[in-house]
Amino acid sequence: MSGQLCPCNPQEIGALFLFEKLEPEQLARLCAAGRVERFEPGPVYTEGEPATCFYVMLEGTVVLSRQVGGDDVEVTRTSQTGVYAGAMQAYLGDRVRQGYINSMRVTEPTRFFVLPADTFSDIMREWFPMAVHLLEGLFFGSKNTQAAIGQRERLLALGSLSAGLTHELNNPAAAAVRATSTLRERIAKMRHKLAVIAEGPFSREQLAGLIEIQERTAERVAKAPAMSPLEATDREDALSDWLDDHGIDYGWQLAPTFVQAGLDIDWLEQVSAAVDEEILPNAVGWLNYTIETELLMNEIDDSTTRISHLVDAAKQYSQLDRAPYRVVDVHELLDSTLLMLSAKIGQDIQVVKEYDRTVPPVPAYPAELNQVWTNLVDNAVCAMKDGVGVGQGTLTVRTALDHEQLLVEFRDTGTGIAPEIKDRIFDPFFTTKPVGQGTGLGLDISWRIVVNKHHGTMRVESVPGDTRFQVLLPLTAEAPETAAPDISEETA
């Protein structure tokens, strides 16, 4: 936007706090190189446009705002003479993207001293070379430090996730090993029992009937109904009595296995009718091994399926084999993150999922959204831990539509966020965790991923016992033509 040109008075310029120490010759050069413009109420420049000018307000009222999730959010409103905005980093040249990092408008007729960005850069380097070097060192040093610590935080998170994943994988893997060893033993005993039966005086028809019962027994194991503890106890007692009545030793040991397989008195009566009384104990023992092998194979199947599920969750979480930018079902990302963090969450924290499955997929960088979920879950778990690190409470993860945006909410029952620090929690390096347990970059990185990279919104509501971090993501977006900039590139 262009305003109405006005005379430039070196004395007026020299009265501004930015220029009060300059010599008359320097003030004259400023007036010659720059200009004074008067703007009527309305926009002066827009966020994202090339930063071509440096503005210093002489009189009036200025409002600075930023785009957050499609909304123009006011960040500053002032009438203080001498405030400045615009191409404030022109002295860095093409080493950083020279664009306006906010939008500026005026609410009343307002005069600015306007200096072209190239001129501002030249004057800074000529008049204040030492200051430029210090500012460059501060800017790039802070950026490098933030990137290094951010990388360190990601490595720490990866280490924690690896430890949790190893723990989760160890349980089903150990169960599968134990079940395989026991299965080998049971099959050996089954072969022995089969040899004993084969040496007996059985007809071909009796053996065929026994094998047919074995097949039906295996089928019943696969379809065994779930029973309450009381129902299971009653059936065990009944089966144990039946086995004792028919002269079968150790019936109290066999009964629990038969109940677990879903067998009952009727099934035992069928077995008794199919074989002679003298071979009934061996037949029942042989069928017991059949049941045990089926149950052990089920246990191995469950364990290996659990391992496969954990590996799939790890792949889903890391997104190593996926496109970096694509349309995703956010529930898949949330589920993989919660599974990867299950060891950290622990058994004493209840996780409640309130998913609205009708919400559509959204365009996103899924691996980076998983990093956001990780940071928010980690903070929620820490908020619910007591002084000795024991966590207890409820973590609720909710999804819903909110004014044409996808809402993802993490609600915890922890201690809450004190009002005096609520406005600082997204600041870089700000943390309330003990030394060595937090870098203060988790929420800052999350903010940059959501706001800068996905053009969404992050907000927080907190009272003791009810803290809610909310992420709002747009439902539609244009796919980036090139790789998106790193989240640390913009420093506002």
Side-chain angles (χ1 to χ4, degrees):
M1 296 291 179
S2 297
Q4 178 184 355
L5 291 177
C6 302
C8 181
N9 185 339
Q11 285 73 31
E12 183 180 29
I13 300 300
L16 301 174
F17 62 81
L18 275 180
F19 308 129
E20 59 185 359
K21 300 296 184 181
L22 297 183
E23 300 295 332
E25 296 80 7
Q26 292 175 314
L27 295 174
R29 180 178 173 184
L30 286 177
C31 270
R35 61 188 184 273
V36 173
E37 290 189 54
R38 183 178 186 272
F39 289 84
E40 296 300 321
V44 178
Y45 63 74
T46 303
E47 178 180 350
E49 294 177 346
T52 58
C53 294
F54 177 69
Y55 295 83
V56 185
M57 190 176 72
L58 298 173
E59 63 176 352
T61 300
V62 66
V63 176
L64 297 180
S65 61
R66 294 201 67 176
Q67 282 285 320
V68 179
D71 298 325
D72 212 30
V73 178
E74 181 178 318
V75 295
T76 302
R77 180 185 292 259
T78 182
S79 299
Q80 179 183 353
T81 300
V83 295
Y84 51 91
M88 294 184 293
Q89 297 174 351
Y91 59 87
L92 296 173
D94 57 7
R95 286 175 291 176
V96 299
R97 185 173 64 87
Q98 295 293 336
Y100 292 120
I101 62 174
N102 50 39
S103 297
M104 184 167 72
R105 61 185 174 89
V106 296
T107 59
E108 60 177 317
T110 301
R111 287 190 307 126
F112 291 98
F113 172 66
V114 184
L115 199 60
D118 291 342
T119 304
F120 174 56
S121 176
D122 293 340
I123 287 177
M124 284 286 293
R125 293 185 172 279
E126 180 182 343
W127 291 354
F128 313 107
M130 182 176 178
V132 168
H133 287 306
L134 290 173
L135 289 171
E136 288 177 341
L138 178 64
F139 178 85
F140 290 111
S142 175
K143 183 177 178 180
N144 292 338
T145 299
Q146 186 170 338
I149 296 181
Q151 180 68 18
R152 172 66 174 170
E153 178 161 288
R154 285 190 283 268
L155 288 173
L156 289 173
L158 179 60
S160 177
L161 287 173
S162 299
L165 180 60
T166 302
H167 174 77
E168 291 295 322
L169 286 170
N170 182 65
N171 291 335
V177 171
R178 289 193 302 269
T180 302
S181 176
T182 306
L183 179 62
R184 188 186 303 275
E185 177 187 338
R186 293 296 185 270
I187 291 177
K189 290 183 177 180
M190 181 186 292
R191 289 197 300 267
H192 174 72
K193 188 68 70 175
L194 180 59
V196 172
I197 293 175
E199 291 173 357
F202 305 120
S203 65
R204 183 185 299 272
E205 290 76 14
Q206 286 177 316
L207 288 175
L210 194 57
I211 292 174
E212 192 270 335
I213 291 176
Q214 183 188 39
E215 293 294 332
R216 287 194 287 115
T217 300
E219 292 177 0
R220 292 195 64 166
V221 174
K223 301 175 182 178
M227 290 186 291
S228 68
L230 182 60
E231 291 173 334
T233 300
D234 290 342
R235 182 172 292 188
E236 284 180 17
D237 292 340
L239 291 178
S240 180
D241 293 341
W242 189 95
L243 293 170
D244 291 341
D245 293 341
H246 288 74
I248 298 174
D249 296 332
Y250 306 108
W252 58 274
Q253 289 182 332
L254 301 178
T257 303
F258 291 166
V259 171
Q260 188 178 357
L263 307 182
D264 52 21
I265 297 293
D266 291 341
W267 176 82
L268 290 177
E269 292 290 352
Q270 293 178 34
V271 175
S272 178
V275 299
D276 293 336
E277 184 175 352
E278 65 271 14
I279 67 166
L280 179 61
N282 284 334
V284 169
W286 183 47
L287 293 177
N288 175 63
Y289 290 142
T290 299
I291 295 169
E292 287 186 334
T293 57
E294 290 294 323
L295 293 175
L296 288 168
M297 285 189 289
N298 287 344
E299 184 176 348
I300 294 172
D301 181 67
D302 290 341
S303 298
T304 54
T305 299
R306 171 70 174 167
I307 293 172
S308 178
H309 183 51
L310 285 167
V311 172
D312 287 342
K315 291 172 62 179
Q316 172 71 21
Y317 179 85
S318 64
Q319 297 287 316
L320 291 178
D321 59 344
R322 307 292 182 88
Y325 184 85
R326 60 189 180 88
V327 176
V328 295
D329 181 354
V330 74
H331 302 113
E332 294 180 358
L333 306 182
L334 291 169
D335 286 341
S336 67
T337 300
L338 290 172
L339 181 57
M340 293 293 291
L341 294 174
S342 58
K344 186 178 187 66
I345 294 171
Q347 297 180 351
D348 294 327
I349 294 179
Q350 180 185 9
V351 177
V352 178
K353 299 178 183 179
E354 297 180 355
Y355 291 168
D356 180 359
R357 295 288 184 176
T358 65
V359 299
V362 295
Y365 295 89
E368 298 198 16
L369 284 184
N370 280 340
Q371 186 178 359
V372 175
W373 313 148
T374 299
N375 292 336
L376 296 181
V377 170
D378 180 68
N379 284 349
V381 170
C382 289
M384 290 185 282
K385 286 185 176 180
D386 57 22
V388 294
V390 178
Q392 189 170 9
T394 302
L395 170 64
T396 304
V397 183
R398 182 171 71 94
T399 62
L401 282 179
D402 187 325
H403 299 91
E404 301 303 319
Q405 290 182 304
L406 171 61
L407 168 68
V408 182
E409 179 183 81
F410 296 82
R411 182 168 73 244
D412 69 72
T413 57
T415 55
I417 301 171
E420 59 268 21
I421 67 170
K422 183 178 176 182
D423 293 337
R424 300 178 58 197
I425 60 174
F426 293 108
D427 292 348
F429 307 109
F430 178 79
T431 180
T432 59
K433 296 178 181 178
V435 175
Q437 294 186 21
T439 62
L441 284 177
L443 289 179
D444 172 59
I445 290 173
S446 299
W447 172 274
R448 293 175 184 274
I449 291 173
V450 172
V451 177
N452 294 349
K453 203 155 190 178
H454 289 85
H455 308 293
T457 305
M458 281 193 73
R459 60 194 184 200
V460 60
E461 301 172 0
S462 181
V463 295
D466 187 1
T467 297
R468 308 182 184 203
F469 279 90
Q470 297 177 331
V471 175
L472 290 162
L473 299 171
L475 298 180
T476 58
E478 294 183 4
E481 295 181 0
T482 58
D486 184 82
I487 56 175
S488 61
E489 285 188 5
E490 295 190 19
T491 59

